[in-house]
Amino acid sequence: MNLVLGSPQLLAGLALVAGPVLVHLLARARPAVRAYPSLQLIRQVMRRTLRVRRPHDWLLLAVRTLAIAALAAAFIRPVYFGATPLAAAGEKKTVVLVIDRSASMAATEGAQSRFGTAAARAIQLLESSGGSTAANVVWIDAQPAGIFAEPGPNRAYLVDVLNRAAAVPQPGAAESALRLAFEQLRTAEGAKEVFVLSDFQATAWKNVPLTPPPGVRLVPMPVGASDLPNMALTDFRAQPAAPVTGQPMQLLCRVRNFSPEPRRAVVFFEAGEARQQRAVDVPAWSDAEAAVSLPAGAPGDLPLRASLADDAFPGDDAAHSLAHVRESVRLAVAGASTSPSIEPLTALGGAIPWLSARRIEPADALTAAADILFVSDWDGQNAPAFRDLAAKGTAVILAPKNGTPAVALADALGVPATPAAPALTAEAAPAKPWKVALASESHPTVALFRTGEFGNPFAGTFRQRLRFSAPPAPATVLAGFPDGVPGLVAGPRLADAKNAAPLFVWNLPLAADASTWTQEPVFVAFFGELCRTSLPAAAGVPGETLPGTPLRFVPGPQVDPHDLRLLAADGSAVEITPPSLPGGPFLSPPAVPGSWRWMARDTVVQHAWCNFPDGESDLRRLDPGTLTGATAESVASRAAMAAERDGWPLWPWLALAGAVLLWTESGLAAFGKKSPVPTAPAVS
Amino acid sequence: MSKYLRPDDLRRLARYDIAAQLVVEGYLSGHRRSRQRGSSIEFHDYRAYSPGDDPALVDWRLFARTDRPYLRTFELETTLECHVLVDSSASMGFGGGGQETKLEYASFFAACLAWLVVRDHDRVSMHLFDEKIRRHFAPGSTRQHLHELTSALEANAPGKPTNLPEALRRVHPMLTRRGALVVLSDFYAPAEQVFAALNPFLHRGFRIHLFHVLSPDELELPDAGLVRFEDMEDASRVTVHTAALRDDYRESMRQHVQSYRRLAASRRVDYALARTDGSFFTLFDRLSA
C-alpha cells in the first residue's frame, strides 16, 4: 500500500490516543469522600461485579481510543496512492490525451456539452502534469489526428487549442485514434500514460479493445452522467428522386426515437418554397416513417429539407436531400424510321404533356440519353447491356422480332432460360383477332387498372404477335393472350439497386395493321402510367457528402474556375481550396450537416449536402463497468482523477470516522448508565 | 446522672427483668439461693478437681493426705455476673445519616444493662476494646462501680482498628467466673474467627449474647452516586458508583449477617441484629423474653 503523510510533523499527535485511556482511568477522579466503617464488603462486591461489567468498559475504552486515533491521524493528512499510481507531477512522463470530439460529444448535459466537460478535464490534466511532461492530444473523429506529430513540452499550446475546440458532426474512429496514441508513445521516455476522454458511446465503442501495449498506462475517463434521450431524422429521400415537373412527389424520412419512452414528433418538410408538416408517433427505441406529398415544381434541382423541433441534441434534427425535377420524361424509340412502332410512340409525346418522345437509331440505343428506351424489332443482341441499363435507372422496353432467341429473352429479363426453347415466331390471328387481358393486378405498372375503373388497358384487338412461352418467375406477365402467350412481361426489379428501372419484354404490336390498340383512348393512359411507374423511385441524385469529408467539385469546360464559389444555405461564402493538379477537384473544409451550392457567377452549377452521421444519434454509453483498462472514473469526479495522480486524501474519511466513533461513545456511555441493575432483598 | 442513663430510659428499664436470660447454670453467684455447689462460707462437700477449677479452692491438706486434689464446695448465694464487651474500634464511630454513632448506641445499651444488673445487686464487668483491651473493669455491683462504668463510657471514643477475635482471647482469662457475656460490636470480622474465639467461653459455660450493631447505611448502602469511600479503620479508599453496587452489596451484607446468625444458632449463642435507627430497648425486650 502506498501511503504518504501530508503533515508528518504532527505524527506526535498520535500520542493523544493515550488521552482516552487516562480519561477512562481517571473518570472517577475526585468524587465526594465519605467515611465508611469498613470497605471489606464493598471490595468483595467490586471484585465480583467488575468482572461482569468489564466488557462494556473495554468496549468504551476501545471506541474512545479509536476516535482519538482517527482524529489525530486526520491531522497528519495521510494520502493513499493505490497499488499502481500514476506518475507524480514531478516525474518524467509522456502523456497522450485521446479526446473524443465526434458528433455525440456535442450532446448537452447540464450547463455544457460532453465535449466541453472533456476539454475542461483535459486542460486540468495538462496543467497538473508537471514540468517534466511531454504531452499531445489525439482527436477521435472521422480522421483521427494529433495536434502535434508527437508529444512535446508545449502544453500551453494544447491548452489553447482545447479552449477553442468544439465537437464536430462526424463519426469517431476510436480504434484508429487509440492506435495513433499508442504509436506516439512507442519511443517516448519516462512513464507513458494515455487518457481517453470520451462518452464511450455504445454504438462506437462496443467492439473497441482498451488494451494498451506493455508499459503504457491507459485510463478511460467516461464523460457524461447519463444516457441522454434523443430523436433523430435519417434516410430522407424523395420518391421519385427525379420527378417530372407537376408530378406528385413524396418526401419521406425516418424518425428514430433513442429514448425509453414513446414520443410524438412533428416533422417539418421543405421543398423549395413549399412547406408541410407531419406528426408521427414513435415507440421507444424504435423508428417510424413520416411522409408528405408535394407536387414537383419547376424543372431543376430542388433542395429538400426535413427537420424536427430541437431537442437536447440538435445536430441530428435536420436532414437534407435533393430532388432533380425534370421538365419531361424522355422516351427514346430505337428503331428504323420505317418501323411501324415509331409513329404511335413518337405521337405520345404530343398526347402526354410531360413526355418527350424521339426516334433514335438502333445503334444508339445503349448510349442515348433517355429515361425510357423502347427498342423496336429487337433481335436479341446485347441483352446483358440492356439489363445493366435498366439497373442504372433507364427503363427498357424490348420489343423482339421474329426469330429472336428465347434465351436472349430470358437473359434480358434475368430469369433462367429453357435451353431447348425455340426462337420467337411471328404469327397472325387465325380468324378472329386476339384480345389481350390484364394478367397481373399487383404490378405497379398496371395497378391503376386493377379496379377496372379505367377499363382494360389493353383494349382493342391484335392480329399479329410473337409466339413464345411465358418466362418463369421472377418475371411477371402483365398482359396475356387468351392462349397464354404473354403480351407484356416485366422483369424483376433489382432489390439492391436503389436507382434501378424496370425492363419489359413487349409483345403488343403497335402497327395499325397489327392491332387496333393504339386507336383506343386507353392506350395513351396506359403508356403514360407505364412511363410514370418506370421512373426510378429512390434518390439517385449525386451531391451527398459524408460528414468529415470535404465537398468536391470538378468544374466542366463551361465553368470558369475563377468564377467558382461555394455558398452555404444562408448565402455565406465557404472557403474552398483550388485543385493541386490540373483537372482536380475544388475542395471545401470537412463537411458538416447542411446544404451548399457551388456557384459559377450567379448560376448554381451543383448542389451539395451532408447529413448527420447515423451512428452518432444513439447517445447511450457503454456501461462503465465493461470498460477494460486501468481505472474507469467519471470525469465529473475530479477527486477521483486527482487521487490517481495525487493520491486519495484520507483525512476527510478519518475525520468522519472519528465523529462517528465519538457519537458511538456517547451512546455507549449513556447505555452503561441506564443498564438495569438487578435488585436484591433488604437485610433484616 | 450519666449521659447514657437518661431518666426516661431508667423509668422504662424498671419494668425489665433480664435475670432469667442472663442467669447461667453452673457457677451461679448472687442473691439467688441455689443448691449448686460453689464457694461460700458454708462448707458443703468435697469434690474431685477438674481442669479449670480455681486452684485456691483445692484443699491442700486433703491433698497431702491422699495425694489427690479435691475441692471444698460451699453452698453459694447465687449472684449474676454479667460481662459486657463494647467494641470501641474506629468503625464504631460511624453514624450515617446524622444518626447516633454505633458506639453511642452500644454505650446507651451497655450503660442501661449495667444499671439493670446493679439494680438487682448483681455484678457487672465491662471491657472496652478495639484491637486490644483498652479499658477493663472487674465485676462489681455497687453504685460507685456503675458510676465508674458509665464515666468510662462517656469518655470512650472510637479508637483503632478492630480485632474482635483477639480481644475475646485477651478477655477470656480476665473473666474468672462464668456468667453472661454480652458483646456489642459491628462484627466485621469473619464469623468463623469470632466463634472460634468464643469457643472457650462456651466451653466454660458462659451464656453469650451477641448484638450486631449496624447503621442503616451499612445495611443498605445509600445511593450517593459516584463516591470515594474511606475506611474508618485503615484509611484506605475506594471509588465506586453506589448505584452499580448497591444491590450486590446488600446481598453480601445479608449473607454476612446470616453467617453470624447461622453459627450462633448452631452454638446456642443468642444473636440479634441491632439497627441504630431503632431503639435499643428492643434488645432488652429480647433479653427479658
Side-chain angles (χ1 to χ4, degrees):
Chain A
M1 184 172 78
N2 300 314
L3 195 67
V4 171
L5 303 182
S7 298
Q9 64 275 18
L10 298 178
L11 203 56
L14 285 177
L16 289 173
V17 296
V21 178
L22 294 174
V23 169
H24 190 76
L25 294 176
L26 300 176
R28 287 165 278 180
R30 281 180 269 170
V33 177
R34 296 177 66 160
Y36 207 72
S38 172
L39 301 183
Q40 173 187 336
L41 285 182
I42 290 178
R43 289 200 174 96
Q44 275 181 22
V45 172
M46 285 174 65
R47 277 194 295 273
R48 193 168 59 244
T49 58
L50 279 181
R51 281 193 212 103
V52 176
R53 296 189 195 287
R54 197 160 289 164
H56 174 266
D57 284 351
W58 283 121
L59 179 63
L60 202 56
L61 175 63
V63 169
R64 286 170 176 166
T65 304
L66 286 174
I68 297 297
L71 291 174
F75 276 99
I76 61 175
R77 293 189 300 129
V79 178
Y80 171 66
F81 279 92
T84 53
L86 291 172
E91 289 187 45
K92 184 173 176 57
K93 57 184 174 291
T94 306
V95 173
V96 177
L97 307 181
V98 181
I99 304 176
D100 189 349
R101 63 172 184 178
S102 64
S104 63
M105 293 290 285
T108 304
E109 289 188 30
Q112 65 176 350
S113 66
R114 290 176 174 178
F115 179 81
T117 304
R121 195 66 188 124
I123 291 172
Q124 189 187 34
L125 285 169
L126 288 171
E127 291 176 343
S128 64
S129 57
S132 307
T133 302
N136 196 10
V137 170
V138 171
W139 298 116
I140 300 179
D141 52 24
Q143 306 287 339
I147 293 179
F148 296 125
E150 57 183 23
N154 194 355
R155 295 189 303 282
Y157 180 75
L158 295 176
V159 169
D160 184 49
V161 171
L162 286 169
N163 278 320
R164 292 182 284 111
V168 292
Q170 301 175 16
E175 197 166 350
S176 300
L178 283 177
R179 257 201 309 275
L180 178 60
F182 296 148
E183 178 61 28
Q184 293 198 349
L185 290 175
R186 196 164 54 83
T187 58
E189 295 179 355
K192 302 176 188 179
E193 299 170 351
V194 173
F195 295 87
V196 183
L197 296 97
S198 170
D199 57 358
F200 291 97
Q201 191 182 23
T203 52
W205 285 89
K206 62 182 177 183
N207 294 321
V208 177
L210 290 179
T211 309
V216 176
R217 176 89 187 271
L218 187 143
V219 180
M221 303 184 71
V223 176
S226 61
D227 296 335
L228 293 175
N230 184 35
M231 296 199 79
L233 290 180
T234 63
D235 198 20
F236 179 43
R237 63 213 183 273
Q239 276 187 0
V244 179
T245 182
Q247 179 184 4
M249 174 180 63
Q250 200 172 36
L251 302 185
L252 306 101
C253 74
R254 191 155 293 279
V255 184
R256 304 183 73 179
N257 180 10
F258 299 104
S259 71
E261 296 173 354
R263 297 176 67 176
R264 163 163 282 215
V266 176
V267 183
F268 300 91
F269 292 91
E270 299 171 37
E273 297 299 321
R275 296 174 191 279
Q276 281 196 29
Q277 65 187 55
R278 183 74 70 239
V280 60
D281 294 315
V282 190
W285 304 117
S286 186
D287 55 53
E289 192 162 74
V292 295
S293 186
L294 291 169
D301 286 338
L302 181 64
L304 307 172
R305 186 171 184 271
S307 60
L308 287 174
D310 282 355
D311 56 15
F313 192 46
D316 54 6
D317 293 339
H320 303 270
S321 187
L322 188 75
H324 180 70
V325 181
R326 293 174 291 184
E327 189 169 355
S328 60
V329 175
R330 298 163 298 176
L331 170 64
V333 184
S337 59
T338 54
S339 170
S341 301
I342 300 300
E343 188 191 345
L345 290 177
T346 54
L348 284 172
I352 300 174
W354 45 266
L355 184 69
S356 67
R358 71 183 194 283
R359 187 190 76 84
I360 60 173
E361 293 298 326
D364 299 330
L366 289 172
T367 58
D371 299 311
I372 301 172
L373 174 68
F374 189 102
V375 179
S376 176
D377 298 323
W378 178 54
D379 58 2
Q381 297 289 318
N382 300 315
F386 285 117
R387 194 172 71 245
D388 187 53
L389 194 63
K392 290 180 180 175
T394 300
V396 174
I397 305 171
L398 300 173
K401 65 179 184 180
N402 183 38
T404 300
V407 174
L409 210 73
D411 194 7
L413 289 170
V415 298
T418 306
L424 277 60
T425 308
E427 64 182 12
K432 202 172 175 185
W434 294 298
K435 284 189 179 290
V436 173
L438 196 62
S440 167
E441 293 181 355
S442 60
H443 196 276
T445 303
V446 295
L448 180 67
F449 304 97
R450 173 169 52 88
T451 61
E453 180 181 349
F454 300 100
N456 180 9
F458 306 104
T461 56
F462 295 84
R463 296 191 193 85
Q464 293 177 9
R465 68 179 185 189
L466 294 171
R467 172 173 282 279
F468 59 94
S469 301
T476 307
V477 177
L478 302 183
F481 290 89
D483 55 356
V485 172
L488 180 64
V489 181
R493 214 161 192 148
L494 295 175
D496 57 351
K498 274 182 153 181
N499 306 330
L503 185 143
F504 300 96
V505 170
W506 185 276
N507 190 22
L508 299 168
L510 299 174
D513 59 350
S515 76
T516 61
W517 182 36
T518 57
Q519 310 302 318
E520 298 289 337
V522 75
F523 172 74
V524 174
F526 166 74
F527 208 89
E529 188 65 9
L530 182 145
C531 292
R532 189 187 71 79
T533 58
S534 296
L535 296 175
V541 182
E544 183 169 9
T545 304
L546 294 176
T549 57
L551 303 176
R552 300 163 57 93
F553 179 73
V554 179
Q558 59 274 32
V559 175
D560 184 352
H562 296 97
D563 295 335
L564 193 65
R565 294 178 298 149
L566 178 63
L567 300 182
D570 60 359
S572 59
V574 179
E575 190 176 338
I576 54 178
T577 306
S580 53
L581 293 171
F586 281 80
L587 299 175
S588 74
V592 295
S595 61
W596 296 267
R597 307 186 295 277
W598 291 98
M599 306 287 293
R601 293 202 179 167
D602 297 327
T603 305
V604 177
V605 294
Q606 185 173 301
H607 286 271
W609 68 95
C610 173
N611 283 317
F612 191 84
D614 276 354
E616 295 289 322
S617 294
D618 186 350
L619 300 178
R620 284 178 291 183
R621 303 164 304 144
L622 279 181
D623 180 0
T626 64
L627 292 173
T628 58
T631 310
E633 300 161 358
S634 165
V635 172
S637 170
R638 293 186 177 186
M641 188 55 235
E644 274 295 313
R645 188 178 298 288
D646 306 323
W648 287 92
L650 297 180
W651 73 263
W653 302 103
L654 292 169
L656 178 63
V660 169
L661 287 167
L662 286 175
W663 179 82
T664 305
E665 184 268 348
S666 62
L668 281 175
F671 173 75
K673 287 181 183 175
K674 291 180 182 175
S675 296
V677 179
T679 56
V683 180
S684 61
Chain B
M1 185 59 69
S2 167
K3 165 188 173 183
Y4 294 114
L5 292 176
R6 296 175 291 205
D8 289 340
D9 293 341
L10 295 180
R11 271 195 291 278
R12 201 168 161 189
L13 278 174
R15 299 196 301 271
Y16 287 92
D17 180 7
I18 61 173
Q21 287 296 323
L22 298 181
V23 163
V24 176
E25 292 182 359
Y27 286 109
L28 294 178
S29 59
H31 59 274
R32 300 169 189 82
R33 291 195 76 82
S34 168
R35 292 188 180 277
Q36 297 295 323
R37 289 171 285 180
S39 59
S40 78
I41 58 173
E42 290 184 38
F43 173 73
H44 176 68
D45 197 2
Y46 287 102
R47 71 171 176 82
Y49 173 83
S50 299
D53 289 339
D54 188 359
L57 298 177
V58 174
D59 190 335
W60 296 107
R61 290 179 185 172
L62 185 58
F63 178 73
R65 282 204 300 275
T66 62
D67 216 21
R68 291 179 188 165
Y70 286 97
L71 295 180
R72 297 158 69 88
T73 62
F74 302 90
E75 194 168 285
L76 294 173
E77 290 181 334
T78 57
T79 305
L80 172 68
E81 280 212 358
C82 182
H83 308 282
V84 183
L85 273 67
V86 181
D87 188 345
S88 303
S89 62
S91 61
M92 291 296 287
F94 182 75
Q99 298 175 344
E100 63 185 3
T101 66
K102 291 187 289 186
L103 183 59
E104 289 175 338
Y105 180 92
S107 298
F108 269 108
F109 177 76
C112 290
L113 178 62
W115 183 87
L116 273 177
V117 172
V118 169
R119 180 198 68 172
D120 293 341
H121 304 290
D122 290 318
R123 290 150 59 90
V124 60
S125 72
M126 184 169 291
H127 313 268
L128 307 177
F129 68 94
D130 45 33
E131 61 183 1
K132 59 181 181 179
I133 305 300
R134 289 165 56 188
R135 291 198 72 174
H136 156 75
F137 294 89
S141 62
T142 62
R143 298 188 76 81
Q144 177 61 31
H145 180 71
L146 177 63
H147 178 71
E148 290 174 0
L149 296 183
T150 55
S151 297
L153 285 172
E154 287 173 14
N156 192 26
K160 295 183 180 179
T162 309
N163 193 338
L164 176 57
E166 179 62 23
L168 289 172
R169 277 192 283 277
R170 288 177 182 247
V171 160
H172 178 257
M174 298 180 185
L175 307 183
T176 58
R177 288 184 176 177
R178 66 181 181 183
L181 179 68
V182 177
V183 181
L184 297 159
S185 172
D186 50 15
F187 290 100
Y188 273 112
E192 294 76 14
Q193 292 180 15
V194 170
F195 278 88
L198 287 174
N199 276 340
F201 294 92
L202 291 169
H203 183 74
R204 286 177 60 188
F206 278 82
R207 192 174 184 108
I208 301 176
H209 300 268
L210 305 179
F211 292 109
H212 198 158
V213 183
L214 292 171
S215 74
D217 285 356
E218 289 175 283
L219 291 167
E220 303 294 331
L221 188 65
D223 186 2
L226 189 67
V227 177
R228 173 169 282 192
F229 286 116
E230 183 173 303
D231 194 310
M232 294 173 73
E233 299 214 338
D234 59 15
S236 63
R237 291 184 175 185
V238 66
T239 305
V240 298
H241 205 293
T242 53
L245 295 180
R246 197 154 172 250
D247 289 327
D248 291 300
Y249 174 87
R250 286 162 63 185
E251 176 62 19
S252 290
M253 177 56 78
R254 189 189 69 81
Q255 290 177 3
H256 178 66
V257 168
Q258 273 300 108
S259 68
Y260 272 90
R261 189 168 282 150
R262 191 168 50 247
L263 279 172
S266 69
R267 308 290 175 84
R268 291 192 184 181
V269 168
D270 182 42
Y271 168 89
L273 179 65
R275 293 173 64 112
T276 57
D277 59 343
S279 171
F280 56 84
F281 275 93
T282 58
L283 307 181
F284 286 114
D285 292 338
R286 186 179 182 85
L287 288 177
S288 64

